[in-house]
Amino acid sequence: YHTSIYDPVRKNLVVFGGGNLEECFNDVWLFDLVSVTWERRKSKSKINARAGHCAFLHPNGVEMIVFGGFVSNEGYRNDLWALSLKKYTGKKIAPTQPEDAVPVGRLGATMIVTTIRNEDKAVLLGGISNGISINDVWLLNLSNYEWEKVTIVGRSPGGIYGHTACLIENCIFGYGGSTMDFTGETPALPRFANLWCLSIKNLPPVWTQPKVTGNVPPKIDHTGVMITNDMLLYGGGTDPNVYQLDRND
């Protein structure tokens, strides 16, 4: 439940936060892809220790943006932080909108950076809050950090969390995840093997479900990365295999 981004300037993998069954963390680790070594940085930030949050590289190339997650003794969060990739110090991004105009606190969501209407945006998909999976999509303007909830066209995957998402051209591909509802006597915890596409070429965004050939098992809390126009999936349990989604097939 940690996050990691690639810093292309310093050729580092930057890892922040996460947790185990006992506690959450707010430390920063760097993995140097040249020397293939780890370094733990003493975080001078006031970022609360958290797990299940989202993080992405800001288009300015000098900040890692952290959103939400679960904080011990505080619960689900919807706060925003900017972690400097030069000094690895954090600064809270002060909200400029009322509470009912921003996403609810959540964990297990995904955020993808793209350009919409000639503006840099981060697209927030899904997550879980207070025991219920969330079925919504938000845009975060990366110039003023204002949120916008968007109406979606098409049949959506429903409330999901623990999925992965990658941007390929003008489409966000999401795979797997689960849904949760602890409001009843018996919570449902299925794992999905569905692939979804959210087209963001125009607004409003449109959900579609592409036809997929091949066999990929249901997954939750796995990782996904984009290489050229392919999406690679790994982990999410005891499965040691890497799966490739080839759009050209």
Side-chain angles (χ1 to χ4, degrees), residues 114-123 125 137-141 148-154 170 172 198-207:
T114 186
T115 301
I116 300 177
R117 296 179 297 204
N118 297 317
E119 293 181 322
D120 291 326
K121 308 271 189 177
V123 184
L125 302 175
V137 177
W138 291 79
L139 301 180
L140 176 65
N141 189 314
E148 174 190 358
K149 188 175 183 179
V150 294
T151 302
I152 304 298
V153 176
N170 292 313
I172 297 175
L198 181 65
S199 174
I200 53 175
K201 184 177 182 179
N202 299 300
L203 291 181
V206 178
W207 278 114

Side-chain angles (χ1 to χ4, degrees), residues 148-187:
E148 174 190 358
K149 188 175 183 179
V150 294
T151 302
I152 304 298
V153 176
R155 177 174 170 263
S156 79
I160 56 173
Y161 77 101
H163 54 288
T164 52
C166 292
L167 178 67
I168 302 178
E169 296 178 354
N170 292 313
C171 187
I172 297 175
F173 284 88
Y175 180 81
S178 180
T179 187
M180 181 183 289
D181 187 347
F182 280 145
T183 59
E185 294 182 359
T186 304

